Amino acid sequence: MASILEWGESEQLLGQCRTVERRSMKISRIDCHVLVDPEYDPAATSSAQDDFVVEVHTDEGVVGIGESDINPWIARACVEAPGTHTMDLGLRNLLLGADPLDSAAVWQRAYVGTAMAGRRGALIHALGAIDMALWDIRGKVAGKPVWQLIGDQRPDPVRAYASLEPEVGDFDAYVDSMVRWAKTAVSLGFRAVKAEATFSGPYANMGLRADDEKMTELLTAVRAAIGPDIALMVDVQYAFDSVDRARASLEAWSELDLYFVETPLWIDDLDDYAKLVDASNILIAAGEWQATRHEFADLIHRGKLDVVQPDIGRVGGLTEAIAVCEMAAGAGRLIVPHVWKTGISLAAAAHLATVTPRMPYFEFLHPDVCESRLRKELVDDEVHVVDGVVQPPRRPGLGIELNRDKLDEFADAATRLYS
């Protein structure tokens, strides 16, 4: 005969039963949305022109929303692909029936179950959208904003910087647009702006090509326009093919009081990054492409980066972004998340920033200073900058809602593009 449980054992068992009951929710469906701005420009090198959005449904009717900065057709294949064995499944088949409230367990299940096809790159980026949606579900079920599920609110203000990349193919027009947008960003309350100065390398935009001295000309014009009290960053998007070339430009910028220089070298050149960090008085930032904490370990310890820039979708979602922030803080690095999509990713970054020390800013693609209709129209979010400060989100979950009419319009544009 089974022994009678003591009172404490009974309470423990009852707690376990309550946990099981609370966690009876299951993932019942994962919808993938491939979206395209109908007015996209094929000459532009900007992933703000398309989007990959997921909706994770549960058997209790709660739906979470997430997105990732990745070719959306590739991401959809990562989710919807069939397979023939247990280590060969797409994310949808692997995760149906899983507990959406245990995002860490779901993440590990997906990471291990797709290891033959994934571990890094596109599959992790697609998983990041799903993980973001799971945190949205957790917050909605708890009736709390996501940041309250992560940790305590930080004592200092949460700030964002305005990310600026005009889409024009003439240098003088580019400078004029950049200066105008920088002034607009300051008028909107931003106390920091970042200029995309990409006139060479893989990200050279709109066919615009110019020598490195033109970067200095652009940054000098922006600094003069915004004055000395606004933080100024620059993203050159892997433009320099050597440490010496990068150092020459950074030395030319020494009087501009730059907060950081983003992705000056190719991302695999970790030893050269370490050399540049040692030689530069300007902070060096990178990390937008990295997938999982394991790649950030290389970036931090071998590359010696001053500022790490996890993109929440690409790195593998909020679950993995939190781990990266903890790793970076432990190594004494600053954290400035990359955000180049819609209000979905922006909301996720705001929640993360609300509880994360050593995060002086996160990236903000403001609708008034960007070209992307996706950013302007896809979602309603509650992330706003007032006097340079972002208030903690208050709505349950991520606090965003999809504009269904625009979702359909952008999905139709994607269908027409490759029908």
Side-chain angles (χ1 to χ4, degrees):
M1 180 182 294
S3 62
I4 298 174
L5 294 172
E6 298 293 334
W7 180 85
E9 293 172 314
S10 299
E11 283 297 294
Q12 183 179 9
L13 180 59
L14 180 59
Q16 293 170 353
C17 292
R18 286 171 178 159
T19 300
V20 171
E21 182 179 358
R22 180 181 63 81
R23 295 188 174 185
S24 63
M25 184 181 289
K26 293 181 174 58
I27 296 173
S28 60
R29 193 169 90 236
I30 301 175
D31 293 338
C32 299
H33 302 291
V34 173
L35 308 178
V36 169
D37 182 342
E39 300 168 6
Y40 85 99
D41 188 335
T45 308
S46 173
S47 60
Q49 298 192 134
D50 58 37
D51 200 9
F52 175 67
V53 173
V54 299
E55 291 182 280
V56 177
H57 296 256
T58 70
D59 59 352
E60 296 184 16
V62 184
V63 181
I65 302 167
E67 75 175 349
S68 190
D69 193 350
I70 175 181
N71 179 306
W73 291 271
I74 292 174
R76 182 173 63 187
C78 290
V79 176
E80 297 181 352
T84 63
H85 59 80
T86 57
M87 291 291 288
D88 190 33
L89 299 175
L91 289 167
R92 175 185 287 166
N93 286 337
L94 190 64
L95 298 182
L96 288 178
D99 176 3
L101 301 182
D102 194 349
S103 51
V106 172
W107 198 97
Q108 188 66 16
R109 177 175 178 174
Y111 183 66
V112 173
T114 59
M116 287 182 64
R119 292 182 55 250
R120 306 290 186 271
L123 201 141
I124 297 299
H125 303 336
L127 173 58
I130 293 173
D131 180 83
M132 196 182 295
L134 296 182
W135 280 90
D136 190 27
I137 290 171
R138 288 181 62 186
K140 288 173 178 175
V141 170
K144 298 179 179 180
V146 162
W147 67 264
Q148 291 186 3
L149 306 180
I150 302 174
D152 296 327
Q153 183 177 348
R154 55 192 266 187
D156 55 320
V158 177
R159 302 185 184 276
Y161 72 81
S163 199
L164 310 176
E165 185 179 37
E167 293 186 7
V168 293
D170 174 79
F171 177 75
D172 290 336
Y174 191 90
V175 173
D176 290 344
S177 295
M178 183 69 78
V179 166
R180 184 171 62 254
W181 275 7
K183 290 180 178 179
T184 300
V186 173
S187 72
L188 290 168
F190 288 93
R191 305 298 297 167
V193 301
K194 186 179 78 179
E196 305 282 345
T198 311
F199 309 134
S200 61
Y203 267 86
N205 194 28
M206 303 295 293
L208 185 58
R209 301 291 185 274
D211 58 31
D212 294 348
E213 286 73 17
K214 291 296 186 182
M215 294 183 186
T216 305
E217 185 176 333
L218 171 70
L219 295 174
T220 300
V222 174
R223 172 54 78 196
I226 63 177
D229 298 327
I230 304 297
L232 175 60
M233 303 90 158
V234 60
D235 185 359
V236 302
Q237 295 179 311
Y238 318 98
F240 302 127
D241 55 12
S242 71
V243 174
D244 290 341
R245 184 180 165 198
R247 287 180 62 184
S249 287
L250 268 60
E251 288 171 3
W253 302 338
S254 60
E255 301 301 317
L256 295 175
D257 189 25
L258 297 182
Y259 189 80
F260 66 62
V261 177
E262 182 173 337
T263 55
L265 303 170
W266 186 246
I267 196 60
D268 296 320
D269 297 339
L270 296 178
D271 293 336
D272 283 345
Y273 265 106
K275 293 176 184 176
L276 186 60
V277 169
D278 287 341
S280 175
N281 292 324
I282 305 174
L283 299 176
I284 305 300
E288 62 181 5
W289 287 351
Q290 264 60 16
T292 77
R293 73 196 77 180
H294 308 297
E295 289 195 338
F296 272 95
D298 291 336
L299 200 65
I300 291 169
H301 300 298
R302 183 176 165 192
K304 301 170 65 173
L305 269 291
D306 301 301
V307 182
V308 298
Q309 298 178 291
D311 180 287
I312 294 173
R314 286 178 180 168
V315 77
L318 274 165
T319 298
E320 200 68 358
I322 293 165
V324 169
C325 290
E326 292 173 350
M327 177 191 301
R333 304 306 202 272
L334 297 178
I335 306 139
V336 179
H338 173 269
V339 182
W340 196 252
K341 283 296 185 182
T342 76
I344 304 171
S345 292
L346 183 65
H351 285 276
L352 185 64
T354 298
V355 298
T356 303
R358 302 191 64 81
M359 188 181 290
Y361 301 101
F362 63 93
E363 188 169 23
F364 198 125
L365 199 64
H366 193 281
D368 289 353
V369 285
C370 76
E371 303 287 354
S372 171
R373 280 191 60 199
L374 285 160
R375 178 63 191 95
K376 296 172 188 289
E377 302 171 11
L378 181 61
V379 300
D380 169 53
D381 65 69
E382 57 176 335
V383 184
H384 303 287
V385 177
V386 179
D387 295 329
V389 175
V390 178
Q391 297 301 312
R394 296 300 179 191
R395 299 176 189 167
L398 291 176
I400 54 99
E401 296 180 8
L402 292 170
N403 182 323
R404 293 288 168 179
D405 290 338
K406 296 300 181 181
L407 181 75
D408 291 342
E409 179 184 354
F410 297 141
D412 288 344
T415 300
R416 290 195 305 271
L417 185 62
Y418 291 114
S419 59

